[in-house]
Amino acid sequence: MAANDVDESLNQILKKTQTQSERKLLPDEIACLTSVFLSTRSDATTIRSKAYVVLSAFCQGVRDVKGKGKEPDDTTKRIVDTFGPTVLQYLGETDETPLLTGISFLTALFQVDSQAASAIFTQEGVVENLMDTVDLSPSPLLCQEVAHLLGQACGHKSCRAVITSQIVRWLEFKSRQSTDLVLQSAASVALIKLSKGSASDAPENGTPEVRSGQTDELAERMVEIIISGQITSAVDAVEGLAYLSTDPIVKETLSKNSTFFKRLFPLVPVHKAGASTASSDLNPTLIYGVLLIICNLTSFRPRLTEEQRQMEKLKGMTKAAKGLSEETDTASSLDDDDHVKARIRLLIASGVLPVFPAAIAASDSPGVRLSVGKSLLGIVEEKENRGKVLQAGGAKVLRTIIKQSLSAHPDTSKSKQANLNPTELQTIQALAKLAITASPVQVFGPNVGAMYDAIRPFSILLQHPSSNLLQRFEAIMALTNLASHSADMSSRIAQAPGVLDKVELLLLEEHTLVRRASVELVCNLIAGSDDTFERYSGDTPNSASKIHVLLALSDVDDLPTRLASSGALATVTAAPTACKALITLQFEKHRFLSVMVQLIDPSCLPKSQTEDSEGPLDTNAGLVHRGVVCVSNVFKSITDVKIREKMFKQATETGLLRALLQLVKGEGVVKDQGIIQPAAEALKAIMDRK
């Protein structure tokens, strides 16, 4: 069939999958679709990519239509019934061309619909016929295609169950020969998948085991293939290392091979300005494989909860009883934080950072985006690396990934929060880490629009139901840094749906750092956002309760928290309504004035208060200044004579009057004239009883 005729036939099949509810293919259409995956075709570089689209559309269409209300096995059976007879007929031939046709199509089907492909592969006689063909007519191309098919099949449990020891021996032999690198890498990938998969398969499956220690040999061969620069075999070699690089020992070996990195990183093509990269030069599978290797090398172990740590201890005791602890401990130690940090430093030194913008420019694959985001999250874990990431355009890469993720997930109607997957939060977390330690301009550039755009993802990271406490903490810190940029930025953050509500809940968090970060963000928003100022200083019970929380946080045993919360109080007491709420609290709970004494000079507290507690908290110039401002604002706001008399009496009883007198005389905790002057004004406001 001529190339134009094939292209037209594929177009007709694609159209049928999109418009017809009963997507039944005619015999000629099946023959066309099953024959276009041959690598020997003259138009293979262009027609195969289209054929994948058509095959994927057909399989997905069958599952979408027939899957509603029916068992998944029904849809798998229909796909198998469509292609199975033709594929089995090809595989039963003795001539090479039909054999290659059937093998190449089944390999493609594994990549599009693995359930249907597995069902065909595991049918009686298929595996035996495959091995007979390579025994009877072992041409290089046929061996390569069989190895590629086995590589796909070994990734699936049901297929591993039919892999015989004969197949394993054949793969081992082909992986050791060095005359055909494509065959060597393809056979090695099959063995790697078989090894990784059989480790988790139940013993009754009967999957033949790969030779002990062979994974190290396979990793070494894959590295040699990549270093050799043979692009045709690099795809399989990269795929193999993507599997193997989850092993801590392999990670360590790869990270110390700078020659390997110099060959691996250029496999992701760099798009130069003004130059166009031909689609034929881009291999999405290869790019994804490279990124997966980098991701494996840069990933830290998940932080375990206390319950998970106890479970790991129990597993360790079980392994020790079986005599496996020494080997496990060695591998585990190679994956601890120090080893991961060392690997990341070696990767940066070898030039890994330019790979990320190149990968994002070359591929729009969700898998590539997730791998880039996770890799950068690991790299920016150490603050020392963040400047290098910014210089390499890492912030722009992360913003691009986040923008694409958000566009793929529309907002929900109520919360206006995108329904991101938990794994997609890692990219936002990486950007948050950069935004915490660098100025907004360094991270987002001079364009304020980019800063505005960052509010939404940070808000999602803060409020997402799957976010852990660290992610929420870092989201708050990033928003705090953004809020410091301008009053307009603070206002936009305060107006982001759900942000303030969530932060105010975290004001009560037991974790000191999370509570501190929440208070600091609230302090920044009160100072920069009119809406937040009104939220805390309004004449409502809700506003009064928020002021009470700030007062309570001004008396906790954490200096930064006290500075932020007392600073917020000093700001809101510019409003008479906030002062009124504090006066009411003083009369009801007798807390406001004693907290102010604690800030200004704890030594002036009555003995009865210090005896009942663990002792007075330390203070500093910042706390003294904030306390003085709060006292001055509150007493200046009093217009009622009876209230003034009552407050004056309580100021004397709590030691506030004494604390201010000592401060004005230069006998207080601080001697700063910048504080003594407002202290004198506060003292005057208390003493003025008119």
Side-chain angles (χ1 to χ4, degrees):
M1 189 180 289
N4 289 339
D5 294 337
V6 171
D7 191 62
E8 181 59 31
S9 295
L10 291 177
N11 287 336
Q12 290 299 321
I13 298 171
L14 185 60
K15 186 176 180 181
K16 178 182 284 190
T17 64
Q18 294 170 339
T19 58
Q20 192 172 320
S21 58
E22 289 294 327
R23 297 173 173 84
K24 187 173 182 180
L25 298 184
L26 299 174
D28 288 347
E29 293 171 332
I30 295 172
C32 172
L33 189 53
T34 53
S35 65
V36 290
F37 292 95
L38 272 172
S39 59
T40 54
R41 292 179 63 98
S42 58
D43 57 354
T45 54
T46 56
I47 205 69
R48 288 181 75 180
S49 58
K50 188 169 189 175
Y52 272 108
V53 172
V54 174
L55 181 59
S56 177
F58 172 79
C59 294
Q60 190 59 48
V62 170
R63 294 198 179 278
D64 286 345
V65 173
K66 290 292 185 180
K68 296 176 181 177
K70 294 192 176 183
E71 292 295 324
D73 286 346
D74 292 340
T75 57
T76 301
K77 184 177 183 300
R78 182 164 177 228
I79 297 172
V80 172
D81 288 345
T82 301
F83 298 114
T86 303
V87 172
L88 294 175
Q89 182 181 341
Y90 284 139
L91 296 180
E93 297 286 344
T94 54
D95 291 340
E96 184 167 295
T97 299
L99 280 170
L100 289 173
T101 302
I103 293 169
S104 61
F105 174 79
L106 190 53
T107 303
L109 187 60
F110 263 110
Q111 298 171 64
V112 171
D113 194 301
S114 59
Q115 288 179 280
S118 298
I120 296 174
F121 183 84
T122 53
Q123 288 191 23
E124 186 176 354
V126 170
V127 172
E128 291 78 4
N129 284 347
L130 283 175
M131 299 318 297
D132 287 344
T133 59
V134 292
D135 284 341
L136 296 173
S137 54
S139 72
L141 182 58
L142 185 60
C143 289
Q144 289 173 12
E145 293 295 340
V146 169
H148 280 126
L149 176 57
L150 291 173
Q152 291 293 330
C154 288
H156 303 279
K157 186 175 181 179
S158 60
C159 296
R160 288 193 295 271
V162 301
I163 298 295
T164 63
S165 56
Q166 176 199 1
I167 295 174
V168 175
R169 288 195 301 271
W170 183 82
L171 289 171
E172 288 176 343
F173 176 74
K174 296 303 179 183
S175 71
R176 288 194 296 270
Q177 59 82 36
S178 56
T179 55
D180 187 341
L181 292 182
V182 173
L183 176 57
Q184 183 187 40
S185 58
S188 298
V189 168
L191 286 172
I192 291 166
K193 289 185 177 181
L194 185 63
S195 172
K196 291 287 184 180
S198 60
S200 60
D201 289 345
E204 59 267 20
N205 275 17
T207 306
E209 291 188 4
V210 179
R211 225 171 3 98
S212 176
Q214 189 175 14
T215 53
D216 293 340
E217 296 175 21
L218 292 170
E220 190 175 336
R221 286 180 206 146
M222 299 295 95
V223 170
E224 289 173 356
I225 289 171
I226 291 173
I227 291 176
S228 72
Q230 297 291 326
I231 299 297
T232 52
S233 52
V235 177
D236 290 319
V238 166
E239 183 184 1
L241 286 176
Y243 275 89
L244 290 175
S245 57
T246 58
D247 183 276
I249 296 174
V250 175
K251 290 181 187 181
E252 278 298 290
T253 304
L254 294 180
S255 66
K256 294 173 182 176
N257 192 336
S258 58
T259 305
F260 164 69
F261 287 142
K262 287 177 182 176
R263 287 291 191 177
L264 179 71
F265 297 159
L267 294 176
V268 179
V270 177
H271 178 74
K272 296 180 180 178
S276 61
T277 305
S279 59
S280 59
D281 296 334
L282 301 177
N283 188 320
T285 304
L286 183 61
I287 294 171
Y288 177 61
V290 172
L291 265 297
L292 205 53
I293 293 170
I294 295 171
C295 185
N296 289 338
L297 297 182
T298 56
S299 294
F300 289 85
R301 285 187 296 202
R303 302 291 185 261
L304 302 179
T305 63
E306 185 59 36
E307 183 180 351
Q308 289 170 330
R309 279 195 288 269
Q310 293 300 324
M311 289 297 295
E312 287 299 312
K313 284 183 181 179
L314 290 174
K315 289 179 183 177
M317 292 168 63
T318 304
K319 289 178 180 178
K322 295 179 180 179
L324 302 173
S325 60
E326 186 175 344
E327 181 181 347
T328 304
D329 289 345
T330 301
S332 180
S333 66
L334 293 176
D335 230 5
D336 61 23
D337 286 0
D338 288 339
H339 280 87
V340 178
K341 290 175 182 178
R343 288 199 289 267
I344 289 171
R345 286 192 286 270
L346 290 170
L347 277 163
I348 293 174
S350 298
V352 73
L353 295 179
V355 174
F356 301 125
I360 294 301
S363 173
D364 59 356
S365 159
V368 169
R369 294 201 300 266
L370 287 175
S371 296
V372 169
K374 188 175 181 182
S375 299
L376 284 171
L377 176 61
I379 291 171
V380 300
E381 179 68 26
E382 274 200 294
K383 293 180 181 178
E384 292 76 9
N385 297 333
R386 295 179 189 177
K388 297 173 184 175
V389 171
L390 287 172
Q391 290 173 357
K396 185 177 180 181
V397 168
L398 292 169
R399 297 202 314 268
T400 301
I401 297 171
I402 292 168
K403 184 177 180 181
Q404 291 171 328
S405 297
L406 292 177
S407 64
H409 297 280
D411 294 343
T412 56
S413 57
K414 292 183 179 179
S415 64
K416 298 296 182 184
Q417 295 293 325
N419 186 28
L420 296 183
N421 298 321
T423 51
E424 292 176 299
L425 298 178
Q426 294 173 332
T427 304
I428 304 175
Q429 187 181 5
L431 185 62
K433 286 179 183 288
L434 293 177
I436 290 169
T437 51
S439 72
V441 173
Q442 287 177 303
V443 179
F444 303 102
N447 181 8
V448 73
M451 299 182 203
Y452 293 153
D453 290 342
I455 295 173
R456 184 174 172 231
F458 291 157
S459 168
I460 292 170
L461 184 64
L462 171 64
Q463 301 179 67
H464 198 282
S466 298
S467 290
N468 56 42
L469 199 57
L470 176 61
Q471 289 173 323
R472 288 175 183 149
F473 166 72
E474 291 178 333
I476 293 171
M477 293 285 285
L479 287 170
T480 302
N481 209 8
L482 268 182
S484 68
H485 182 262
S486 66
D488 184 45
M489 191 69 66
S490 292
S491 296
R492 287 176 179 261
I493 292 170
Q495 291 164 6
V499 167
L500 265 175
D501 290 336
K502 186 66 177 181
V503 172
E504 286 169 348
L505 281 175
L506 293 173
L507 289 175
L508 309 176
E509 171 63 43
E510 291 183 4
H511 196 291
T512 301
L513 293 179
V514 176
R515 182 182 60 199
R516 179 195 300 172
S518 302
V519 178
E520 288 173 345
L521 178 54
V522 168
C523 181
N524 276 17
L525 296 182
I526 288 173
S529 164
D530 291 341
D531 289 342
T532 310
F533 183 86
E534 178 64 28
R535 183 185 179 100
Y536 276 78
S537 63
D539 191 13
T540 65
N542 192 30
S543 296
S545 67
K546 295 181 188 303
I547 290 177
H548 295 178
V549 172
L550 290 179
L551 183 65
L553 292 170
S554 299
D555 196 33
V556 298
D557 191 8
D558 179 60
L559 180 59
T561 300
R562 296 173 72 206
L563 283 167
S565 54
S566 58
L569 277 178
T571 303
V572 297
T573 51
T577 48
C579 295
K580 181 182 176 182
L582 288 169
I583 292 168
T584 302
L585 180 63
Q586 173 59 29
F587 290 159
E588 292 177 355
K589 305 290 185 180
H590 302 287
R591 287 292 297 143
F592 169 60
L593 294 180
S594 61
V595 172
M596 294 302 105
V597 178
Q598 185 81 268
L599 296 176
I600 296 169
D601 191 341
S603 66
C604 295
L605 283 168
K607 288 184 179 180
S608 59
Q609 290 193 30
T610 56
E611 287 174 357
D612 294 340
S613 62
E614 297 179 359
L617 299 172
D618 293 333
T619 190
N620 69 3
L623 292 176
V624 172
H625 192 200
R626 288 159 172 77
V628 165
V629 172
C630 290
V631 170
S632 179
N633 287 343
V634 169
F635 276 90
K636 285 179 180 178
S637 73
I638 301 173
T639 56
D640 187 280
V641 175
K642 290 183 179 179
I643 293 177
R644 182 176 293 280
E645 285 289 345
K646 193 174 180 179
M647 286 291 287
F648 174 79
K649 181 182 177 183
Q650 294 189 12
T652 305
E653 293 171 350
T654 55
L656 177 60
L657 204 58
R658 180 183 162 204
L660 288 171
L661 280 168
Q662 287 189 177
L663 188 59
V664 171
K665 291 178 181 178
E667 299 172 0
V669 177
V670 296
K671 310 294 189 294
D672 188 348
Q673 287 297 320
I675 297 175
I676 292 175
Q677 180 59 37
E681 294 177 9
L683 187 60
K684 182 176 181 296
I686 294 175
M687 300 298 290
D688 186 3
R689 299 164 68 185
K690 294 180 181 178

